[in-house]
Amino acid sequence: MENQILPELSTKIQGLFYLSESEAPLVIEKLGALPKEQLNAKIAELNTAAPEALISVKPDDFFEKILKSADPNDDIVLANANKFQELHTFLKGNFSGIQVTRIEDGVKVPIIITAFLPDNTCIALTTYAIES
């Protein structure tokens, strides 16, 4: 299953950028087989962050905000927002336990979208926002 979904996921994030005060690409990381209840601890460990710095965002709200904040007069920004919507649809159709986590501990805010394959393998799409 992973052999089919991950290449397609790679295609979905190619040229996709999280826009804030910077443009940050999304990167796929394999977190391996991981119990869902250990996910936040793993995210904190991988990012050398205090657990209380992890802020959970509802996935629907996260992706909706990207679309709503896109300038309708900027074709590039709008196309990027639409690619995020396509990514969200793909994630919902192929993964479970989708979670969006922000690590709010400075100007550079890591954003980690995690999801589980049917075999309980966890993948993370990592990016960041610059918020000064």
Side-chain angles (χ1 to χ4, degrees), residues 66-77:
I66 292 170
L67 190 59
K68 283 185 176 180
S69 65
D71 181 349
N73 298 313
D74 187 329
D75 292 341
I76 294 171
V77 171

Side-chain angles (χ1 to χ4, degrees), residues 21-126:
E21 293 178 36
S22 68
E23 297 175 355
L26 277 76
V27 177
I28 298 174
E29 293 183 26
K30 295 179 188 178
L31 302 183
L34 182 70
K36 291 178 183 173
E37 60 274 2
Q38 293 178 11
L39 180 57
N40 284 345
K42 182 74 169 177
I43 290 171
E45 174 191 333
L46 290 173
N47 290 277
T48 318
E52 58 271 10
L54 275 61
I55 306 297
S56 183
V57 178
K58 291 180 183 174
D60 289 344
D61 294 347
F62 174 79
F63 287 99
E64 186 67 26
K65 182 180 179 186
I66 292 170
L67 190 59
K68 283 185 176 180
S69 65
D71 181 349
N73 298 313
D74 187 329
D75 292 341
I76 294 171
V77 171
L78 195 55
N80 191 70
N82 286 329
K83 282 185 74 171
F84 264 102
Q85 289 304 304
E86 292 171 16
L87 173 62
H88 189 210
T89 299
F90 179 78
L91 290 173
K92 290 192 298 187
N94 293 283
F95 295 86
S96 65
I98 301 166
Q99 178 178 309
V100 178
T101 305
R102 293 170 44 93
I103 302 176
E104 298 183 357
D105 190 22
V107 173
K108 185 176 180 180
V109 179
I111 299 170
I112 303 99
I113 303 166
T114 51
F116 288 86
L117 288 163
D119 67 359
N120 258 2
T121 300
C122 185
I123 61 98
L125 298 174
T126 61

